[in-house]
Amino acid sequence: DHCARSVISGDSALELDELGIPCSVARKLTWSECVTALNVERLRVAVMKGAHVLGGATTIERSGERLDLVTAPREQRRALSRGLRSGDLVHRHLLNGDWVLLNRQPSLHKSSMMAFRVRVLNAQTFRINLSVTTPFNADFDGDEMNMHVPQSLLAEAELEVLCAVPRQIMSAGKSRPLMGLV
């Protein structure tokens, strides 16, 4: 539920630090979000949508018990959404703005693994801005890349602060830009 592999395509409409992912991938991969007073309403909506509608959720963890939403009927999902309380974990679909790590094998240097913000697209492949292709040595001849979803707030913070594309523009070893306008 936390990694995917796909062919990549270029998309000049994406921001430098955005990764376009197919809706099918966004529905399959999950981010574990803890219920708080600030997000309870949004997570109730995700639980009501269930596992098959984009923006939904697949499971709820409560006191070590996993409640499956994939096969749950609408009435059961409604009851579970009303019963959400602080501390429950909701495994929700990936949404626009979530942070993920993207790499192309072999990962020989720091910039061959970079963090991107997700943008869910109606597409069949991963999409990246053309300016980001140089560090990945990507030429769009069937290149495949791996995407990894962080599993904690600390991992997500590390992606955003240390590995985000804007922080990888300059090569540490050569002191020159790794990427430029295409």
Side-chain angles (χ1 to χ4, degrees):
D1 292 346
H2 310 297
C3 62
R5 183 175 176 91
S6 176
V7 174
I8 59 165
S9 302
D11 190 340
S12 58
L14 293 172
E15 295 291 327
L16 192 65
D17 64 344
E18 283 185 321
L19 171 68
I21 65 170
C23 295
S24 58
V25 172
R27 278 194 311 266
K28 188 66 90 173
L29 301 183
T30 60
W31 166 252
S32 303
E33 191 166 351
C34 186
V35 176
T36 66
L38 299 173
N39 66 6
V40 67
E41 289 305 319
R42 182 172 46 83
L43 292 176
R44 281 185 176 140
V45 171
V47 169
M48 276 301 300
K49 286 182 177 181
H52 304 294
V53 176
L54 188 61
T58 59
T59 54
I60 299 171
E61 282 186 49
R62 178 182 294 152
S63 305
E65 180 185 1
R66 290 179 69 94
L67 307 168
D68 184 27
L69 299 174
V70 175
T71 58
R74 185 173 179 79
E75 294 306 317
Q76 184 180 6
R77 289 195 317 261
R78 180 175 287 132
L80 288 170
S81 72
R82 281 192 221 118
L84 281 181
R85 52 186 184 256
S86 291
D88 290 349
L89 277 180
V90 175
H91 298 267
R92 64 161 176 80
H93 297 159
L94 284 183
L95 300 173
N96 290 340
D98 287 340
W99 285 93
V100 296
L101 184 71
L102 188 71
N103 84 302
R104 178 161 185 240
Q105 295 174 330
S107 296
L108 301 175
H109 49 85
K110 178 181 165 185
S111 59
S112 63
M113 296 179 73
M114 292 191 278
F116 291 82
R117 292 177 298 124
V118 165
R119 186 194 286 177
V120 181
L121 300 173
N122 191 13
Q124 298 299 315
T125 61
F126 289 161
R127 304 225 172 182
I128 60 174
N129 186 298
L130 296 171
S131 297
V132 185
T133 58
T134 305
F136 290 122
N137 195 25
D139 51 13
F140 305 113
D141 62 353
D143 299 333
E144 290 185 338
M145 296 186 82
N146 306 307
M147 181 183 75
H148 307 277
V149 181
Q151 293 306 297
S152 69
L153 289 173
L154 181 59
E156 184 182 36
E158 285 181 351
L159 290 182
E160 185 176 352
V161 173
L162 300 175
C163 303
V165 173
R167 306 223 192 301
Q168 308 299 323
I169 291 175
M170 294 296 291
S171 168
K174 298 177 183 173
S175 295
R176 65 178 186 178
L178 284 173
M179 56 189 96
L181 294 176
V182 175

